[in-house]
Amino acid sequence: MPELPEVETCLRGLAPHLTGRRILKLVARERRLRWPVTQAVDAAVAGQPIEAVARRAKYLLLHLPQGALILHLGMSGSLRVLPADTPPAAHDHIDLLLDDGRCLRLRDPRRFGSLHWAPPPVTAHPLLAQLGPEPLSPGFDGAYLYRLSRGRRAAVKTFIMDSHVVVGVGNIYASEALHRAGVHPHRPAGRIALARYERLAAAIKTVLAAAIAEGGTSLRDFVREDGNPGYFARALRVYGRAGLPCPGCGEPVRQQRIGQRSSFYCPRCQR
């Protein structure tokens, strides 16, 4: 599934092509995505200029004068800006026709993506209203994690992957950040000291910033908006490396299921 760095990479690639363009109309070849794409979306966007392209968590936002389109890429979705007359492939479900003869095309083989219309205030939309802070924002730090974690019995990895706590820390980046911070992923969130949360918050920022700089992590379906893969996979220290030596101490990396997700960690470096 595309995570925050992949979506941020997509945003940065698309924004120069979309900002200032006018949407002529929406063409839906398949409306049955994770939630049906309603006719209300068509009516809301037709003839409207794209004033800005932004991101909140893993959602892309196309801001129009009267609201915003909210896009989620689901498990395997991707977006391309193409000539509008480019023949669609089997899983090319949605086109936004633009006033320069091109289109923004959503490809989604598994149909787990979504497209919604949000009137103002956009942040009040149910998909956005309860989200935690952005991990690269000044408001996200160790003190925030420490305060929110008090009394929590859940594993710290589950805690930092909760979008109500902080957005965009997916499975790959949670494993990598916990390794950098030296924190065992199964340790109860409420039993971690402030100093360790300060290291963990810094590690989350470092890992996500590095992944964004590398264009994300391509493991299965994800490619960038230009069709190229992300390259952060080459820098992974523990994720997907079970049995291989930890780059810090040489101990074999272990794999464990935590919260129904595969977690990778070093039993010596992470306590």
Side-chain angles (χ1 to χ4, degrees):
M1 173 186 291
E3 297 188 15
L4 185 148
E6 287 79 12
V7 178
E8 179 69 23
T9 299
C10 183
L11 161 66
R12 296 182 182 189
L14 292 174
H17 300 283
L18 299 180
T19 305
R21 299 265 62 91
R22 187 176 297 274
I23 299 173
L24 300 181
K25 67 176 181 177
L26 183 150
V27 175
R29 287 175 285 273
E30 174 57 83
R31 293 181 178 270
R32 296 171 298 169
L33 302 183
R34 184 175 181 182
W35 294 281
V37 179
T38 67
Q39 296 286 344
V41 178
D42 304 43
V45 305
Q48 298 301 307
I50 301 173
E51 297 181 332
V53 183
R55 178 189 58 75
R56 179 69 171 107
K58 300 177 186 178
Y59 297 97
L60 282 170
L61 307 178
L62 304 186
H63 286 283
L64 311 181
Q66 301 302 318
L69 275 173
I70 303 176
L71 297 102
H72 194 285
L73 297 178
M75 296 291 291
S76 58
S78 61
L79 293 165
R80 305 281 192 278
V81 176
L82 304 167
D85 58 359
T86 303
H91 304 294
D92 290 346
H93 301 315
I94 303 290
D95 284 356
L96 292 178
L97 301 185
L98 306 174
D99 61 356
D100 63 353
R102 298 183 297 169
C103 70
L104 177 65
R105 178 165 292 174
L106 171 64
R107 173 175 295 176
D108 189 1
R110 301 186 191 181
R111 300 213 314 265
F112 286 166
S114 63
L115 179 65
H116 307 266
W117 172 250
V122 173
T123 54
H125 190 278
L127 292 174
L128 307 180
Q130 302 301 317
L131 294 176
E134 293 284 334
L136 298 179
S137 68
F140 176 73
D141 57 19
Y144 165 80
L145 286 176
Y146 177 79
R147 183 173 64 254
L148 218 61
S149 68
R150 296 307 86 188
R152 301 277 189 112
R153 297 181 179 179
V156 64
K157 181 167 179 280
T158 302
F159 174 66
I160 63 173
M161 288 180 62
D162 183 347
S163 64
H164 296 94
V165 173
V166 58
V167 301
V169 185
N171 195 37
I172 298 170
Y173 303 112
S175 290
E176 291 296 304
L178 286 163
H179 180 262
R180 286 175 182 253
V183 177
H184 195 289
H186 204 269
R187 180 174 290 276
R191 298 182 60 185
I192 295 175
L194 173 59
R196 302 193 81 194
Y197 270 125
E198 289 174 341
R199 291 200 299 271
L200 179 55
I204 289 171
K205 291 176 181 284
T206 297
V207 167
L208 290 176
I212 290 170
E214 291 287 350
T217 304
S218 294
L219 295 179
R220 286 187 295 183
D221 299 304
F222 174 74
V223 292
R224 302 187 300 183
E225 88 294 334
D226 58 4
N228 292 318
Y231 294 105
F232 188 68
R234 299 178 300 188
L236 295 176
R237 297 184 178 184
V238 290
Y239 187 88
R241 293 175 53 84
L244 298 176
C246 166
C249 70
E251 184 80 8
V253 172
R254 293 186 185 176
Q255 181 176 359
Q256 181 181 359
R257 299 286 289 183
I258 300 175
Q260 307 304 313
R261 305 298 296 275
S262 291
S263 301
F264 300 86
Y265 66 96
C266 172
R268 181 179 294 175
C269 293
Q270 295 174 251
R271 301 291 182 182

